[in-house]
Amino acid sequence: MAKKYNYNFIRKKSEGGGSSVRLAVVSGGLFVVDAFLSFFLGGNAGVYVGAVALFAMLTAIYGFYLGLKSFRETKVSHGRSVIGSVSCGVLAVLWLSLFLIGV
């Protein structure tokens, strides 16, 4: 008798990758909010801008962690994991560079 192979091409979406993409969107949105807040207050919103930026940087770092952690999931598509990890990594480097420059 011939062996019967069972192929399954249906893949679920990665849960951690989706969370990572959402956190990247939140961090990017907070960047835009930070820029508008600084513009409308004429550069005199130091504490508020700093607090929002710190929260956004921590959000990006946690999104990067979730994106990398989601690569361990099996039988899922890792497209969202890649997008979330890369975008959160870029945003984390952007936030870190802004903090180190002192803008």
Side-chain angles (χ1 to χ4, degrees):
M1 264 185 143
K3 288 185 178 181
K4 197 172 192 182
Y5 294 104
N6 186 10
Y7 294 107
N8 187 3
F9 293 107
I10 299 174
R11 290 184 168 228
K12 296 188 298 185
K13 296 177 182 177
S14 175
E15 293 176 10
S19 299
S20 178
V21 169
R22 284 189 289 276
L23 287 174
V25 169
V26 167
S27 182
L30 287 175
F31 180 78
V32 172
V33 167
D34 231 7
F36 280 122
L37 187 64
S38 180
F39 177 74
F40 287 126
L41 293 177
N44 295 326
V47 175
Y48 303 117
V49 170
V52 171
L54 183 64
F55 179 71
M57 185 175 72
L58 293 175
T59 303
I61 291 170
Y62 185 63
F64 182 71
Y65 168 74
L66 282 180
L68 289 181
K69 187 177 162 186
S70 68
F71 283 113
R72 294 183 191 164
E73 297 175 12
T74 57
K75 296 183 181 178
V76 294
S77 176
H78 292 294
R80 288 185 178 180
S81 300
V82 171
I83 293 170
S85 297
V86 170
S87 59
C88 280
V90 168
L91 283 168
V93 168
L94 174 75
W95 283 115
L96 185 64
S97 66
L98 284 175
F99 273 110
L100 292 177
I101 290 171
V103 174

